[in-house]
């Protein structure tokens, strides 16, 4: 059993949260975490039911307590109409602007990441992507550069002033990402790795959570609930295509899911047209369609020399194609009142 306790907005200072937390523990909760959903302070207490903690309400009659044993109440809208803004370094995803994340599928060398980063930043991307730990279908394919790759990505992020996102595949490695990376990515193949979801939840770092390619929208929202219930509301959902009977593209991008997720959840949602179709010829139009459908942003594979790419070269845009995507995207995003966030250029001294 779990209790979800919503503290009243007025008077819910740190002391009040600590007192509620102490009461919940005294009543037998095995774990209590506190977080804010929008403005509302929320506590999640594991291992107790409603009948065990009558004293919590005595602290303030406006405290709302619900017992839950299923569902995704922290991720679903309930009483929160807005969108959670997830801060990734200096960028926030879910605010009024449309965010573009771009970079190579995998970190292959310093030179590749550096060239890709400068190119995507010049065209208007504000967050840099790059996988250092690659979950590959075959154990014999390039598995990523690991920690060395993560360090190279972060170095380039600092040099170019771009926050960075990279995939974590093992709960035991989440710690390695701490203090280095601005956002963790959970990939489609690990979308229901519940130990990993809990660990990235406990890390407190912003998380880009891909939809499992076999997950319904409801199951996807539940995967986000695993992270938020550990006290981490900084989750950005990512539609990246699902497996259907269609074989003419790598996966089938489900743009209706963007609309459904925005209706049901306060979490921001971005679209990955690259992994979703696996074909660079489809990426531009899918990106425009994602913006028109109301997504909060995009994550796009860009490789300056894709014939040499160690991973997913077929779906990567080169610099020129990415420039065209950005040019075509701006008016579409503006038309749906989500202008593209542009990089801040710091004038050189
Ligand atoms: C990726 O973004 O590098 C990736 C592997 O994506 P997905 O998990 O969606 O396949
Ligand atoms: Mn890839």
């Amino acid at each position: 059993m779990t209790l979800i306790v919503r503290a009243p907005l007025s008077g819910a200072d740190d002391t009040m949260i600590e007192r509620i937390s102490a009461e919940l523990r005294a009543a037998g909760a095995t774990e209590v975490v506190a977080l804010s959903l929008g403005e509302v302070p929320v506590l999640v207490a594991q291992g107790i039911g409603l009948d065990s903690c009558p004293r919590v309400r005595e602290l303030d009659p406006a405290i709302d307590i619900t017992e839950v044993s299923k569902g995704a109440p922290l991720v679903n809208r309930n009483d929160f109409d807005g969108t959670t803004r997830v801060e990734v370094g200096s960028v926030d995803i879910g605010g009024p602007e449309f965010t573009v994340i771009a970079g190579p599928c995998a970190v292959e060398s310093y030179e590749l990441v550096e060239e890709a980063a400068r190119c995507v930043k010049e065209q208007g991307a504000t967050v840099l992507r790059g996988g250092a730990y690659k979950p590959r279908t075959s154990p014999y394919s390039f598995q990523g550069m690991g920690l060395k790759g993560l360090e190279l990505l972060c170095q380039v992020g600092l040099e170019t002033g771009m926050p960075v996102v990279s995939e974590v595949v093992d709960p035991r490695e989440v710690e390695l990402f701490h203090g280095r990376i601005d956002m963790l990515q959970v990939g489609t193949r690990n979308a229901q790795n519940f130990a990993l979801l809990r660990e990235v939840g406990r890390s407190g770092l912003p998380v880009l959570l891909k939809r499992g390619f076999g997950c319904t929208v409801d199951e996807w929202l539940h995967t986000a609930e695993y992270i938020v219930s550990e006290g981490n509301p900084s989750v950005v959902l990512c539609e990246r295509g699902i497996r259907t009977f269609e074989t003419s593209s790598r996966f089938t991008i489900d743009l209706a899911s963007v609309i459904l997720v925005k209706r049901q959840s306060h979490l921001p949602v971005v679209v990955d047209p690259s992994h979703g179709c696996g074909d660079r010829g489809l990426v531009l139009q899918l990106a425009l369609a994602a913006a028109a459908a109301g997504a909060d942003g995009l994550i796009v594979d860009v490789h300056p020399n894709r014939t040499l790419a160690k991973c997913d070269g077929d779906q990567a845009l080169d610099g020129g194609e990415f420039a065209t995507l950005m040019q075509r995207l701006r008016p579409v995003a503006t038309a749906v009142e989500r202008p593209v966030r542009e990089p801040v250029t710091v004038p050189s001294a």
Side-chain angles (χ1 to χ4, degrees), residues 14 29-30 40 59 68 100 128 164 326 331:
D14 288 351
T30 48
V40 185
L59 295 172
V68 285
V100 179
L128 178 64
V164 290
M326 292 301 293

Side-chain angles (χ1 to χ4, degrees), residues 85 92-99 296-297 337-342:
R85 291 167 79 140
D92 73 328
I93 304 179
E97 293 170 315
F98 186 88
T99 304
D296 295 283
E337 294 173 1
R338 300 295 298 284
V340 173
R341 170 190 296 279
E342 301 293 346

Side-chain angles (χ1 to χ4, degrees), residues 104-106 129 134-136 167 189 210 250 272 274-275 301 311-313 315:
C105 176
R129 65 150 290 147
K134 297 303 302 174
R136 303 304 300 279
E167 178 165 355
R189 292 161 187 81
K210 297 275 189 113
R250 190 177 179 193
D272 180 342
S274 312
H275 288 85
D301 278 12
C311 184
D312 289 348
Q315 70 196 31

Side-chain angles (χ1 to χ4, degrees), residues 93 98-102 129 208-211 220 236-241 252-259 261-262 268-277 282-301 325 329:
I93 304 179
F98 186 88
T99 304
V100 179
I101 307 170
R129 65 150 290 147
L208 181 73
L209 176 62
K210 297 275 189 113
R211 177 182 185 178
W220 182 22
V236 175
L237 299 165
C238 178
E239 165 61 47
R240 51 79 64 212
T252 302
I253 293 238
D254 176 14
L255 286 181
S257 82
V258 173
I259 306 161
V261 159
K262 301 234 44 124
V269 55
V270 301
V271 172
D272 180 342
S274 312
H275 288 85
C277 67
L282 304 185
V283 170
L284 165 66
Q285 274 132 327
L286 285 170
L288 303 184
D296 295 283
L298 290 173
I299 176 166
V300 184
D301 278 12
L325 181 149
L329 177 67

